[in-house]
Amino acid sequence: MAGGDPLNQNRPDGADREERLLRITGAIADGVSVDWEAEMKQSPDLRGVLQRLALVERIRNAARASDQG
Amino acid sequence: MHTTSFLLGRMKAGDERAVEVLFERLIPVLRRMARGRIPARARSLMDTEDLVQIVALRTFPHLNHFDSHGKGCLVAYARRIMTNELRDEFRRLSRTPEMTELVDEIPADDVDPLQRAIESEAIAVYRRALAQLTQDEQDLILLSLETGLSHGEVAEAMGRPSANAARMAVARALARLAERMGWPEETP
């Protein structure tokens, strides 16, 4: 998935892909835990981007922990 | 509501009201950033509000020279000043030589050195990817993820019409961030 807009890959399933990705990034923004294993099973085409987002979620959690510390 | 870039432009054109609006927007963000950051040993000498005032006073004189269209962003700039101030405070307290910034390390339950090295590299990748986003996207991510502002607070700080609009903007910025990260290597 190198280069390009992750939300518009000019593919027939682009809208569905966008919807799935924004549902997950929305959950991160909301502070809701994401079941990464389930998401990767459900969306193997998004595996790479999901791995990165899992890291972003951990960074968010670390920031929250630091806030409370 | 106007964007930060617009307000910086107005400020450079001599609009004093723009300075006031920037100040009103930045102070709550600084308060959120400063909360819980002051070293325990320094709390008798400095409280959160002192730190906010110091950072605001050090940030605003430089705004005229701030490149609102460059890679840096106002929030990131203020955050660096706050980090430096806290680092100086640690040094004044003399026991701890250097402060570790908010997300330079992820607290882990059971981390071996290899795992720590991988995560350290991953965070560097995150920071490099963040720097490649637009100023607006960087601000959205810093305010929401790292600073912990609510969607409503992000909307207010970023001039978005509603909390939901801010939430969607953060979600889109995160999608772009993940694309820029390019880590880990894609597997076929």
Side-chain angles (χ1 to χ4, degrees):
Chain A
M1 205 174 87
D5 185 339
L7 303 182
N8 180 13
Q9 299 290 305
N10 294 322
R11 289 160 40 183
D13 62 349
D16 170 60
R17 185 181 191 283
E18 173 177 348
E19 195 177 307
R20 283 180 286 151
L21 195 51
L22 288 181
R23 179 176 54 76
I24 293 163
T25 55
I28 295 172
D30 290 340
V32 174
S33 285
V34 176
D35 182 343
W36 296 106
E37 201 173 324
E39 294 293 351
M40 284 180 202
K41 273 185 189 163
Q42 190 182 330
S43 301
D45 57 317
L46 292 179
R47 186 174 186 81
V49 78
L50 290 177
Q51 286 176 312
R52 296 169 209 156
L53 286 172
L55 169 72
V56 172
E57 185 196 50
R58 292 194 66 190
I59 289 171
R60 181 207 67 195
N61 292 344
R64 295 292 183 280
S66 172
D67 253 359
Q68 288 158 9
Chain B
M1 274 200 249
H2 298 300
T3 64
T4 301
S5 296
F6 175 84
L7 291 169
L8 284 168
R10 293 297 311 154
M11 185 198 73
K12 287 175 186 175
D15 183 346
E16 290 184 3
R17 178 62 191 143
V19 179
E20 288 173 24
V21 174
L22 280 167
F23 210 97
E24 286 163 9
R25 278 191 192 175
L26 191 62
I27 293 295
V29 173
L30 293 177
R31 282 202 184 105
R32 182 64 80 99
M33 280 188 205
R35 201 180 62 200
R37 300 281 195 277
I38 297 173
R41 290 192 304 276
R43 283 180 198 150
S44 59
L45 305 171
M46 175 198 266
D47 63 17
T48 300
E49 204 54 34
D50 293 331
L51 179 60
V52 167
Q53 295 302 322
I54 290 167
V55 174
L57 288 171
R58 292 194 177 165
T59 301
F60 276 83
H62 298 285
L63 291 186
N64 268 323
H65 310 291
F66 194 79
D67 176 10
S68 61
H69 301 291
K71 284 189 173 178
C73 64
L74 179 56
V75 173
Y77 183 74
R79 199 170 66 112
R80 278 199 298 277
I81 290 178
M82 183 174 289
T83 300
N84 289 340
E85 185 59 34
L86 286 167
R87 185 177 288 128
D88 289 348
E89 192 60 31
F90 270 112
R91 284 176 180 155
R92 276 194 285 274
L93 291 165
S94 81
R95 303 262 161 73
T96 309
E98 192 165 346
M99 181 194 174
T100 302
E101 201 180 339
L102 180 61
V103 294
D104 282 351
E105 287 192 16
I106 300 175
D109 316 310
D110 222 356
V111 179
D112 66 38
L114 176 61
Q115 182 65 19
R116 188 174 290 278
I118 290 168
E119 296 205 331
S120 180
E121 169 58 17
I123 291 169
V125 167
Y126 162 80
R127 291 222 173 277
R128 283 198 295 271
L130 191 63
Q132 291 174 39
L133 301 183
T134 66
Q135 179 189 326
D136 208 46
E137 289 167 338
Q138 289 182 45
D139 282 346
L140 286 163
I141 290 172
L142 285 170
L143 290 174
S144 177
L145 252 73
E146 295 198 26
T147 308
L149 264 59
S150 68
H151 299 318
E153 289 169 324
V154 173
E156 196 169 330
M158 298 291 294
R160 291 298 199 279
S162 67
N164 198 45
R167 177 186 183 275
M168 184 50 72
V170 171
R172 286 184 174 278
L174 287 173
R176 291 186 195 287
L177 175 77
E179 177 68 17
R180 297 292 183 277
M181 284 171 78
W183 176 96
E185 292 299 323
E186 291 288 332
T187 49

